Structure formats: C-alpha cells, structure tokens
C-alpha cells in the first residue's frame, strides 16, 4: 500500500486528492481499528471504577485524561507537518512502524492486575469457541441497545454523543486531508489543521474540567449547554465552502473541536453516571459499534461523492446536511434538559 501510494504521489497518475487520500484513509482506519474499538470501549468503563459514579467527578477525571493526550496530539500533529514539509508525504508515513513498535514495547512494561474472568471459558473445537464468542458478543450488543432504549437520559445523551464521534473520525481521517490536498493545494497543511483540531479539543477538555472543579455545588454548565455549543461549532465547518483559506479554517476547526470535545466528555460522563456497572461496557460497546458502522457508511458515501462531484460541491452538500443535523442536536439537548431536576 505504501508503494502504491508512493508511485501515485510521484507520478501524478492519481488525480488530485483521490487515490492518495483514499489510501491514506485506508491505512489509518484498517488494521488496528478492531483493537482500538475494544480499547475505546474499555476506557469508558474504567473511570467510574476509579473515581466513583458521581457525574461531576467523572467530568473532571475524563477531562484531565483528555487534556493529557491532546497535548501529545498537538505536538505530534505539528511534528508531522514539519516532517511532511521537510521530507515529503510518503517518507513522513514511515515513522509509523517504529513508533507503533515503541508504543507496544512501552505497553509491555506496564504492571497490570490479573484479568478476572466473568464467565467460564469456552471448551471444545475452534468453531465451537468462535460460535460461543459470537453469541456472547451479540447478547452484549443487545443488552447495550436495551440499556440505551430503556433510559431517557441515556437515549438522548447517546444520540448527541454519536454525532461528535462521527464528525471527529470523518474530519481528521477524510475531510481535512482532502481539503488540504484539493482545496488548499498543500498536503502538509493537513497537519496544521489537525493540530488546530487537537488544540481545540484540549481547550474544550480544560474548560469542562474548570467548570466542574468546585465540588461544593453542581456546575451550571450541564450537558444540554455543551450540546448547544457543539451545534454552533458544527456550523463552523462552513468555512471549508465559504472561506477556503487556511487562516479561516484553522480557528473554525479549533473552535468546533473545542465544542465537540466538551460535549463529548460531558455526555460520556453523564452516561457513565447513569448506568449500573454491569451495563457500562455493554452500552458503550453498542454505542461504539453503532458509531463505527456510521463512520463506515458515511465515509464510503463521501468517497463516492468526492469521486463523482469533486471536492467543492461535496463540501457544500456536507455542510448542508450538517446544518440539518444541528436541528437534531438542538432537539436532543432540549429533551435531555427535561431529565434534570428543576433548580
């Protein structure tokens, strides 16, 4: 895949932003994502076990974790931009294998408690074990779906949570690389836009953390507030169509990411607080599966759209659809607000 990408980039046989971007998207989202989805689900279950089920404590804890890895995200994106500028697109990609090997080695150094099995291990043939595992996975997904459907709080929080999950994946994996290569005609600026996105997420996490630091009283900035703010941030993506300049796109993406991160962390904490321990993993597993299914469907549709209609009209269509999504977010915020006790 790297060899194909190199040939397309060097010869110019790939049209502007087409196979090169699609291969980048494939490289980013294929091999490791099944493990990443497991890890993403697991990290939603851990915080209540560490700090307890109090919503305010969960928001502070989740925000601190997010601030920590967005510092790494901003640094990494800036260094990637410098590497692309200095060495070119494909040589910059070659840093991934050694960095992944280093991360794997560091992970083997962690001291982990022994795993606790909550079910009897499957016995018999390999096929029997696969069938048993698939059956338990399907049962867990159904239990997660039932938990979402059975609680008004979790249902409306989940509706609003899936949107930033979807936008985050599509923006950083597909829309920003295409905008950089085709609209702005400079692939290296994708790193600066992603750095702005990560910096915005850092600010959003920090803002949410500061809003919930005072444990003597509940924060006035509850999840419905963050959802409404996120709706405004989503509209900032119109800059890709109305003001396709790096200096307009950078602040718009940073502001949008700030609002999405704050809303995402607030809603995750709200769901963690609202679920019993035995349902958290199943519920977040279902939500993660639903989000990634949407990412697959929407990214494939966008790929066909960019091939058929080019970047300009497709960005206009994307923004028009997102404007309609904003109305749905505002409705979800109003429904979620009614689940809070009146002050």
């Amino acid at each position: 895949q790297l060899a194909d990408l190199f040939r397309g980039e060097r010869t110019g046989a790939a049209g502007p932003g087409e196979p090169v971007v699609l291969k980048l998207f494939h490289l980013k989202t294929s091999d490791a994502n099944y493990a990443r989805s497991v890890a993403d689900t697991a990290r939603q279950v851990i915080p209540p076990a560490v700090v307890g089920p109090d919503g305010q404590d969960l928001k502070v804890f989740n925000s601190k974790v997010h601030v920590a890895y967005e510092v790494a995200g901003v640094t990494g994106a800036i260094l990637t931009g410098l590497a692309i500028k200095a060495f070119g697109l494909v040589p910059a990609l070659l840093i991934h294998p050694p960095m992944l090997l280093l991360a794997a080695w560091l992970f083997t150094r962690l001291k982990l408690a022994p795993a606790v099995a909550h079910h009897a291990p499957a016995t018999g043939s390999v096929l029997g074990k696969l069938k048993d595992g698939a059956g338990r996975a399907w049962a867990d997904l159904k239990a997660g779906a039932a938990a979402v459907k059975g609680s008004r709080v979790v249902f409306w929080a989940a509706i609003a949570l899936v949107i930033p999950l979807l936008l985050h994946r599509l923006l950083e994996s597909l829309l920003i690389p295409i905008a950089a290569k085709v609209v702005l005609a400079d692939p290296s600026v994708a790193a600066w836009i992603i750095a702005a996105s990560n910096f915005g997420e850092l600010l959003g996490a920090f803002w949410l953390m500061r809003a919930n630091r005072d444990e003597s009283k509940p924060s006035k900035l509850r999840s419905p507030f963050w959802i409404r703010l996120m709706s405004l941030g989503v509209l900032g993506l119109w800059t890709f169509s109305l003001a396709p300049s790096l200096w307009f796109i950078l602040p718009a993406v940073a502001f949008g990411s700030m609002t999405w991160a704050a809303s995402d962390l607030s809603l995750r904490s709200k769901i963690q607080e609202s679920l019993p321990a035995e349902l958290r993993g199943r519920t977040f597993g279902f939500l993660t599966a639903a989000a990634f299914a949407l990412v697959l469907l929407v990214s494939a549709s966008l790929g066909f759209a960019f091939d058929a209609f080019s970047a300009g009209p497709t960005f206009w269509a994307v923004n028009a659809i997102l404007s309609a999504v904003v109305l749905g977010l505002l409705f979800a915020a109003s429904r979620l607000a009614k689940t809070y006790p009146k002050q």
Side-chain angles (χ1 to χ4, degrees), residues 171-234:
L171 184 72
E172 295 192 352
S173 297
L174 193 62
L175 297 179
I176 287 177
I178 289 178
K181 186 169 181 63
V182 181
V183 178
L184 301 177
D186 184 358
S188 69
V189 302
W192 311 129
I193 302 174
I194 291 175
S197 176
N198 291 337
F199 183 68
E201 288 190 51
L202 189 156
L203 292 179
F206 185 77
W207 187 6
L208 182 69
M209 180 178 65
R210 295 296 301 173
N212 288 274
R213 288 295 289 270
D214 187 357
E215 296 183 1
S216 64
K217 56 183 179 181
S219 173
K220 294 181 180 180
L221 303 181
R222 293 174 165 177
S223 292
F225 166 81
W226 300 111
I227 297 172
R228 295 183 181 108
L229 187 66
M230 177 178 63
S231 300
L232 184 61
V234 169

Side-chain angles (χ1 to χ4, degrees), residues 48 52 57 66 97-98 124 136 173 183 201 217 228 252 265 302 304 323:
D57 291 341
H66 204 84
R136 285 189 285 107
S173 297
V183 178
E201 288 190 51
K217 56 183 179 181
R228 295 183 181 108
L265 293 168
L302 282 175
F304 286 119
S323 298

